[in-house]
């Protein structure tokens, strides 16, 4: 697609230079290389992400993947920078080197303008026209911005694009006045020439307005302060408390399996000997089995997983897990049931009230097999609530039966 805001700010020749640049990536088979290499890189990244919660035993594998990334990322970025310069030359072939140079300068400048406009429109609900005038006036008067844009610097090893001056130098226009070229407004834009100055794209304008409204709602939710009555009411309305009780049917199957196993074990003394001592041991084991089965049923039959906008917990935890204290959450399939791994930012005492191991650790687990709702539904709800105050969180499928947030 072609960006309508960009078409309104560039000449027709400059837009053709941009199109020529993008088609240069296809000519150089950049997209084919990306399709071949991206899946491998994605799999290694997700494998590393999952191994990060596996503890010391996964350290060798993580180290190997770390070395692979350290070696490959600078090489990949270097190749991408070279391909950007080659794509610039394709744009120059379609139009001219000077046109490409002006389109690059205008694109760098407009990218900053559009980004700042969007922030003012979304975060502060400023009208778009007012935001545009404000941003342009501030950037035009900002000496720091022009120095940054004109600075001669070496690309960071991981940068995928060369610096602007390197691209201008490659085109033979390193001495071009960047400030004058950036502020040069076209007399007739590509949009005016190709579509007509009076033509309105109502559908596109409507979609943009809907996108801005949606982003404003997201920002409002992310910045809502739970300490205020208004903010707490908004969060509770958008993220209402959800409860997932334990399934009685699943609990019966689980406790029955445990009782059968313990009951069979209690009969072992009778298989060895039929004396009074063996009978006493069997009777004691059977009593313990009954007690354990009853206590397990009593403890879990009224259990439920509660998810709120800022935390989640089960009744047997000594305290809730606050989202603000959690770094990430994994869900992995173990014998057909999903197991949550909660990775805290800092080491925490055990969440369960009477744990077997009491030392502090970052990773804590919760099985979802006994809860009545669909396990995927629980995970989706938890991820959606968890990502509320995270700037760019998103759930990803790393492999079948495994997800992370």
């Amino acid at each position: 697609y072609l960006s309508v805001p960009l078409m309104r700010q560039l000449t027709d020749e400059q837009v053709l230079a941009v199109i020529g640049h993008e088609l240069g990536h296809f000519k150089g088979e950049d997209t084919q290389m990306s399709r071949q290499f991206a899946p491998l890189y994605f799999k290694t990244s997700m494998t590393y992400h999952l191994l990060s919660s596996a503890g010391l035993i996964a350290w060798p594998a993580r180290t190997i993947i770390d070395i692979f990334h350290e070696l490959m990322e600078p090489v990949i970025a270097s190749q991408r920078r070279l391909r950007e310069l080659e794509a610039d030359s394709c744009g120059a072939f379609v139009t001219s080197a000077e046109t490409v140079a002006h389109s690059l300068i205008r694109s760098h400048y407009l990218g900053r303008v559009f980004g700042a406009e969007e922030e003012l429109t979304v975060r502060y609900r400023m009208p778009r026209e007012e935001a545009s005038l404000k941003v342009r006036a501030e950037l035009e008067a900002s000496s720091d911005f022009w120095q940054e844009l004109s600075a001669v610097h070496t690309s960071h090893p991981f940068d995928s694009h060369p610096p602007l001056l390197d691209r201008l130098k490659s085109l033979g226009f390193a001495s071009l006045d960047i400030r004058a070229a950036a502020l040069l407004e076209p007399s007739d834009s590509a949009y005016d020439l190709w579509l007509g100055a009076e033509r309105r794209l109502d559908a596109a304008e409507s979609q943009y307005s809907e996108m801005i409204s949606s982003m404003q709602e997201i920002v409002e939710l992310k910045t809502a302060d739970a300490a205020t009555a208004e903010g707490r009411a908004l969060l509770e309305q958008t993220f209402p408390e959800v409860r997932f009780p334990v399934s009685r049917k699943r609990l019966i199957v689980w406790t029955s399996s445990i009782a059968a196993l313990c009951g069979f074990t209690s009969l072992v003394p009778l298989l060895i000997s039929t004396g009074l001592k063996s009978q006493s041991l069997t009777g004691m084991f059977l009593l313990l089995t009954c007690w354990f089965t009853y206590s397990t049923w009593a403890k879990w039959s009224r259990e439920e997983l509660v998810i709120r906008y800022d935390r989640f917990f089960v009744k047997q935890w000594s305290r809730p897990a606050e989202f603000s204290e959690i770094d990430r959450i994994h869900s992995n399939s173990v014998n057909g049931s999903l197991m949550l791994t909660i990775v805290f930012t800092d080491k925490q005492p055990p969440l369960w009230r009477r744990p077997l191991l009491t030392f502090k650790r970052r990773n804590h687990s919760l099985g979802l097999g006994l809860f009545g709702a669909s396990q995927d539904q629980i995970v989706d709800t938890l991820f959606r609530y968890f990502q509320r105050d995270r700037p760019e969180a998103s759930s990803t499928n790393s492999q079948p039966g495994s997800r992370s947030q």
Side-chain angles (χ1 to χ4, degrees):
Y1 66 92
L2 290 175
S3 165
V4 171
L6 197 61
M7 289 176 63
R8 284 173 170 162
Q9 300 296 326
L10 300 180
T11 66
D12 57 339
E13 286 294 307
Q14 289 171 352
V15 173
L16 289 176
V18 173
I19 296 173
H21 170 96
E22 297 303 331
L23 292 179
H25 286 299
F26 285 90
K27 181 176 180 293
E29 298 184 348
D30 299 11
T31 53
Q32 182 179 351
M33 184 186 73
S34 298
R35 285 197 300 270
Q36 293 173 346
F37 183 76
L40 171 63
Y41 194 82
F42 175 76
K43 288 178 181 178
T44 58
S45 300
M46 293 308 302
T47 301
Y48 183 88
H49 190 59
L50 292 173
L51 288 174
S52 62
S53 62
L56 186 61
I57 195 172
W59 178 81
R62 292 202 309 270
T63 302
I64 292 173
I65 297 176
D66 254 337
I67 295 173
F68 171 76
H69 284 172
E70 289 291 333
L71 293 175
M72 290 302 297
E73 286 181 359
V75 175
I76 297 168
S78 175
Q79 287 297 314
R80 285 176 174 172
R81 291 195 295 271
L82 290 176
R83 291 179 178 274
E84 287 296 327
L85 297 178
E86 293 176 3
D88 287 344
S89 66
C90 290
F93 177 79
V94 173
T95 54
S96 68
E98 183 179 5
T99 303
V100 174
H102 279 84
S103 69
L104 285 172
I105 294 172
R106 286 285 289 170
S107 297
H108 275 72
Y109 168 69
L110 292 171
R112 181 68 67 87
V113 170
F114 293 157
E117 280 180 8
E118 188 174 278
E119 181 177 2
L120 291 176
T121 304
V122 171
R123 186 173 293 276
Y124 302 104
R125 297 183 178 269
M126 186 179 292
R128 200 193 318 172
E129 294 77 10
E130 182 182 345
S132 178
L133 292 175
K134 176 180 175 62
V135 168
R136 290 170 186 266
E138 290 179 352
L139 289 181
E140 187 173 352
S142 172
S143 57
D144 292 340
F145 170 70
W146 299 111
Q147 288 176 3
E148 176 189 345
L149 202 60
S150 307
V152 179
H153 62 86
T154 304
S155 297
H156 186 277
F158 293 169
D159 286 345
S160 60
H161 285 66
L164 175 60
L165 277 184
D166 285 1
R167 301 177 75 171
L168 296 179
K169 183 178 180 180
S170 175
L171 294 166
F173 285 88
S175 60
L176 196 62
D177 187 343
I178 291 180
R179 188 176 187 278
L183 297 175
L184 182 62
E185 299 287 342
S187 55
D188 291 311
S189 70
Y191 182 91
D192 295 342
L193 293 175
W194 295 349
L195 299 175
E198 302 302 323
R199 180 174 178 178
R200 290 182 54 82
L201 300 180
D202 294 331
E205 292 286 346
S206 176
Q207 289 178 359
Y208 180 78
S209 299
E210 291 177 3
M211 182 190 73
I212 291 296
S213 298
S214 176
M215 293 173 65
Q216 288 173 340
E217 292 176 3
I218 293 173
V219 168
E220 187 177 10
L221 285 174
K222 288 184 178 294
T223 57
D225 186 2
T228 65
E230 182 180 356
R232 186 165 57 254
L234 175 63
L235 291 172
E236 290 175 348
Q237 178 183 2
T238 311
F239 300 96
E241 180 179 283
V242 182
R243 293 175 178 267
F244 297 102
V246 163
S247 167
R248 294 292 181 95
K249 181 179 179 181
R250 295 179 186 177
L251 184 58
I252 290 173
V253 173
W254 185 53
T255 53
S256 299
S257 301
I258 295 176
L261 179 62
C262 294
F264 177 78
T265 305
S266 67
L267 296 176
V268 171
L270 288 179
L271 297 177
I272 299 174
S273 172
T274 58
L276 181 61
K277 187 175 181 180
S278 298
Q279 293 176 1
S280 299
L281 285 174
T282 298
M284 183 181 66
F285 284 145
L286 287 174
L287 287 174
L288 287 174
T289 299
C290 293
W291 172 81
F292 179 76
T293 304
Y294 172 77
S295 62
T296 302
W297 173 268
K299 182 165 52 176
W300 281 96
S301 60
R302 291 185 291 273
E303 186 60 88
E304 59 183 356
L305 172 63
V306 182
I307 305 177
R308 297 177 180 171
Y309 66 86
D310 59 343
R311 68 186 71 178
F312 71 102
F313 58 91
V314 296
K315 292 180 178 179
Q316 295 182 57
W317 283 359
S318 59
R319 68 187 189 286
E322 303 284 347
F323 287 140
S324 59
E325 300 176 350
I326 298 174
D327 179 44
R328 59 188 179 275
I329 300 174
H330 304 304
S331 67
N332 297 288
S333 179
V334 179
N335 297 326
S337 297
L338 289 180
M339 177 69 71
L340 286 181
T341 301
I342 308 150
V343 184
F344 285 86
T345 305
D346 301 311
K347 291 184 177 181
Q348 302 284 338
L351 293 172
W352 299 96
R353 285 179 181 167
R354 288 181 289 275
L356 294 175
L357 301 175
T358 59
F359 61 89
K360 292 184 178 181
R361 58 188 185 276
R362 290 185 62 199
N363 296 359
H364 299 256
S365 300
L366 174 65
L368 302 180
L370 289 179
F371 294 101
S374 161
Q375 296 179 65
D376 287 334
Q377 180 186 353
I378 297 175
V379 171
D380 289 341
T381 303
L382 183 62
F383 282 0
R384 182 165 56 87
Y385 280 46
F386 174 59
Q387 72 179 3
R388 177 188 68 82
D389 58 349
R390 275 153 176 75
E392 295 179 354
S394 62
S395 63
T396 55
N397 292 325
S398 51
Q399 56 185 354
S402 174
R403 296 175 62 186
S404 63
Q405 177 72 52

